[in-house]
Amino acid sequence: MHDLKSYQKTKNMNKLTLLCFLIFGNSMFLSAQDTLTCQFEKLFNIKAGMTKPDVLSYIGDNYKATLVNTEVTKLPAYKGSKGDSIVKEILSYKPDQQTCFNGRNTLFQLEFADNKLYKAYLSTMYPKSQYQEMITNYKSLRNVIKTDWAYEKEIKISGDKMVGFGYDYTKTKSTNKKTEKVSLMYIDSRSDDPTGNYLLEVLWANL
């Protein structure tokens, strides 16, 4: 009888341990997903002004993505200058893994002017019917960014049927024009169209 009671007690304790693991372990796993599997943070080491060869070398060594499109255009020289026209190039990559950007048409884009980087961003799209899924993804990205970029400032944009909401992030409280910044935002470019899409993006290295 004593052995039977001990067995039942041990069995109940094992059940309780398993339940606690399922509840708290799963919660910890989901939190770890936010902070450990999002490899896009490595891209924040790409800085505005870097040369194209340096940027491409860094991507090749640190981020798995496939080049899917290249656009090259010539722009007039800067106003007031007597220089040559500016060569603008946009490289669009499709990430090989999409652990943190869960919409469709996820792209990683780099914009160069005369072979110098001036803009880098990641984006994904959600149909408006998937607003809750988009917000969940938005909050997850926010948690990832906040682990390294402590200062957060809310931003809003609007104009010509376009609205956008998000945050700017910096590592220091005081800022100036040269302060490194990461922006997280979701944009509705056609607020009057219920069948349109939300663009969810993370932008950095922006001049």
Side-chain angles (χ1 to χ4, degrees), residues 113-132:
D114 289 339
N115 282 327
K116 295 287 184 70
L117 182 74
Y118 73 90
K119 188 174 183 180
Y121 57 101
L122 271 157
S123 64
T124 194
M125 297 181 70
Y126 283 90
K128 288 189 178 178
S129 60
Q130 295 182 359
Y131 174 79
Q132 290 301 329

Side-chain angles (χ1 to χ4, degrees), residues 142-205:
R142 185 181 175 194
N143 288 337
V144 171
I145 295 171
K146 284 165 62 175
T147 59
D148 290 318
W149 301 74
Y151 297 94
E152 181 182 71
K153 181 180 179 182
E154 187 177 26
I155 53 175
K156 296 180 181 179
I157 60 172
S158 62
D160 194 24
K161 300 179 181 179
M162 179 184 71
V163 292
F165 304 92
Y167 296 92
D168 282 342
Y169 295 89
T170 58
K171 293 184 177 181
T172 58
K173 190 171 183 179
S174 58
T175 62
N176 55 49
K177 291 183 179 180
K178 294 184 178 181
T179 301
E180 286 187 64
K181 181 175 70 174
V182 172
S183 298
L184 168 66
M185 178 171 284
Y186 66 90
I187 299 169
D188 180 358
S189 60
R190 294 288 301 275
S191 59
D192 61 334
D193 182 5
T195 64
N197 296 294
Y198 292 108
L199 178 69
L200 176 60
E201 68 176 13
V202 175
L203 182 149
W204 71 102

